[in-house]
Amino acid sequence: MISPPRIAVLASGRGSNLAALIGARERGELPVEFVLVASDKAGAGALRLAEAAGIPTLALSPKAYPDRRHYDLELFARVAASGADWLVLAGFMRVIDAEALRPWVGRVINIHPSLLPKYRGLHTHRRALEAGDAEHGASVHFVTAELDGGPVIAQARLAIEAGDDEQRLAERLLPLEHRLLPAVLGLLASGRLQWRDGTAHHAGQPLSAPLLLGDHGLE
Ligand code: GRF
């Protein structure tokens, strides 16, 4: 039997997207092996979830390093040492140094709570509401040195409702994120999604627009 792709995850917070990945794997819907969950925050819920699932964990504090570059080089060395084939950023709230990232470009994906290229960075729900957008959503993209700027692979879209405030919109989007991220990782694991020459390819063709999360998965 061919061994499943090995996945490392970086997360800074509660880890609900990590929980979605672990759940998908446990239900037999995501044939991967999680080899490491690492965090810049020792108190991150994501680390506790990983421990409970029997996944090796690492808490690495940036405070012990002189600058971002040194921290990221060490973090990525630890990710490499885990034997990971792919790296998933699931709520990892740090910008990654370009040099540390370089050997990994094409093997790192991130989930971001906006319809990229709209609203890179923070406070995406608030910004969508303030702009009066009719629609909001989440994107999974390949990570490049440009913050939230790499090729978008897939999106989940959500109509903004009259009663939405920042918190309600975030809460309504989260279940879509929890379907989107495992679906994209599943495509990567199957080999149907690939990074080639700086662009995302699906089923051998360059993606001209992001895949869309529908009722039955990615379309
Ligand atoms: C999610 O909204 C994700 O899109 C963003 O950070 C949040 C992480 O939530 N990048 P969780 O830690 O996965 O619950």
Side-chain angles (χ1 to χ4, degrees):
M1 203 180 93
I2 303 168
S3 55
R6 289 165 302 215
I7 310 298
V9 179
L10 301 185
S12 301
R14 70 196 150 177
S16 70
N17 278 286
L18 171 68
L21 294 175
I22 293 171
R25 182 187 178 276
E26 283 174 354
R27 291 192 301 276
E29 297 164 9
L30 185 60
V32 301
E33 181 190 354
F34 293 106
V35 292
L36 179 69
V37 172
S39 183
D40 55 323
K41 302 253 189 296
L47 293 175
R48 307 290 89 76
L49 288 169
E51 284 160 8
I55 302 167
T57 59
L58 168 69
L60 201 62
S61 170
K63 291 195 188 105
Y65 296 83
D67 54 29
R68 179 192 308 284
R69 185 172 150 268
H70 283 86
Y71 176 80
D72 286 353
L73 286 170
E74 176 64 18
L75 180 61
F76 275 69
R78 303 287 282 267
V79 169
S82 76
D85 302 304
W86 302 93
L87 176 61
V88 177
L89 310 187
F92 188 60
M93 303 304 286
R94 289 176 56 86
V95 176
I96 295 169
D97 174 81
E99 185 188 336
L101 181 67
R102 195 166 300 127
W104 283 85
V105 169
R107 293 192 287 153
V108 188
I109 60 170
N110 177 46
I111 183 153
H112 181 75
S114 81
L115 293 173
L116 290 171
K118 279 188 161 184
Y119 315 129
R120 296 175 182 181
L122 299 174
H123 310 303
T124 56
H125 313 300
R126 188 194 308 167
R127 288 155 71 195
L129 288 167
E130 281 172 1
D133 291 355
E135 215 180 22
H136 188 43
S139 306
V140 175
H141 64 95
F142 280 113
V143 174
T144 62
E146 196 182 344
L147 178 68
D148 300 325
V152 179
I153 300 162
Q155 294 182 321
R157 294 175 173 269
L158 178 69
I160 292 181
E161 294 175 353
D164 278 331
D165 57 16
E166 199 176 340
Q167 192 189 342
R168 182 173 188 261
L169 188 54
E171 278 169 12
R172 293 202 305 117
L173 183 60
L174 208 53
L176 295 180
E177 294 188 35
H178 296 165
R179 290 175 52 219
L180 182 66
L181 188 57
V184 173
L185 188 57
L187 273 189
L188 268 184
S190 73
R192 276 174 293 155
L193 174 68
Q194 291 174 328
W195 165 273
R196 269 191 236 160
D197 308 323
T199 54
H201 283 62
H202 180 238
Q205 300 297 320
L207 271 182
S208 52
L211 300 169
L212 205 57
L213 186 71
D215 290 342
H216 306 290
L218 290 174
E219 292 154 8

